[in-house]
Amino acid sequence: MLAPERLVGLHFFNPLPHQPLLEIILPSGQVPEGNRHPCCGFAARIGTIPLLLRDTPAHLVHRLTLTYILQGISFLQQGMPLKAIDRAGRSFGMPSGPLELADGIGLDECCRLAEAMEKAYRIRIPVLLYDLVRQGRLGEKSGQGFYRYRRGTRLKPDPEQGQQWEGDEKSLQEKLVNEMLEEASICLEEGIC
């Protein structure tokens, strides 16, 4: 007998030793209640941190991460220097800037996730993301995205990427992070986790 109400999704992050979060996506109709689910015990046994979620497009972490990435791409599309955008994210305390992160995930994967979010949440996808994917600039895996790579190592940026920016880094940080915080607030209001 099939029991779809017992099916859960497990979303591991990569690399697992450095990213111990485990999103546990509950079946449709089930609401996350603390850590009261058999999968939470499983998560603890394998050394991960469980996060119970309702089933939604892009889940929680990708939804927040993509918000950060798309905001960074929008800034680049508006003419802000690439290095300033990534530096603002890192100096705020993020492990990497939004454009570095996009290159690591893969711009095609970012585009796929963004399209799923666009349908569900009516977000706007920067045209620049589509342009880069059409050009085959997929990030690290293709050797070029926002940055250039050789054998998995990022090369020195092109001269135009090194241009100085006279803007307020604190203001840029706030814009990058506030967008993500607003999305997190919406997720809480929707009861996703």
Side-chain angles (χ1 to χ4, degrees):
M1 173 184 208
L2 296 177
E5 70 279 359
R6 296 185 62 208
L7 180 67
V8 297
L10 300 178
H11 181 210
F12 291 87
F13 294 87
N14 195 12
L16 189 58
H18 301 293
Q19 306 290 333
L21 185 66
L22 173 62
E23 287 182 324
I24 300 171
I25 297 89
L26 299 175
S28 219
Q30 288 190 24
V31 178
E33 294 180 30
N35 283 340
R36 296 183 209 139
H37 194 279
C39 284
C40 291
F42 166 75
R45 284 192 300 279
I46 63 170
T48 59
I49 301 165
L51 177 61
L52 288 175
L53 303 172
R54 276 186 327 135
D55 189 12
T56 60
H59 310 309
L60 179 67
V61 173
H62 280 148
R63 187 168 166 180
L64 299 179
T65 302
L66 256 291
T67 300
Y68 175 63
I69 288 171
L70 295 176
Q71 183 75 356
I73 296 171
S74 292
F75 289 152
L76 185 65
Q77 190 171 281
Q78 293 167 27
M80 226 171 259
L82 177 136
K83 286 172 69 175
I85 296 166
D86 280 339
R87 185 175 50 247
R90 282 191 316 277
S91 63
F92 178 81
M94 299 295 284
S96 60
L99 307 173
E100 296 166 319
L101 183 58
D103 271 359
I105 292 171
L107 301 187
D108 53 338
E109 183 66 9
C110 289
C111 196
R112 186 186 67 75
L113 288 166
E115 286 173 342
M117 287 176 58
E118 180 183 42
K119 288 177 188 162
Y121 312 118
R122 310 244 188 273
I123 64 161
R124 292 178 56 203
I125 302 172
V127 174
L128 178 58
L129 179 59
Y130 287 119
D131 290 345
L132 293 173
V133 170
R134 263 193 299 277
Q135 294 169 23
R137 292 175 56 178
L138 308 179
E140 263 183 70
K141 62 184 164 188
S142 71
Q144 189 168 8
F146 294 106
Y147 295 93
R148 294 179 305 126
Y149 302 86
R150 185 172 296 131
R151 291 186 218 113
T153 301
R154 189 166 74 195
L155 303 174
K156 289 187 178 185
D158 293 332
E160 69 269 9
Q161 291 177 339
Q163 59 192 336
Q164 291 299 318
W165 183 61
E166 301 300 323
D168 178 16
E169 186 173 290
K170 204 79 164 149
S171 175
L172 180 54
Q173 288 173 352
E174 287 175 10
K175 288 176 184 172
L176 277 172
V177 175
N178 284 345
E179 190 83 14
M180 202 169 35
L181 291 174
E182 186 177 320
E183 194 66 31
S185 294
I186 292 168
C187 291
L188 283 173
E189 287 171 17
E190 292 174 356
I192 290 172
C193 60

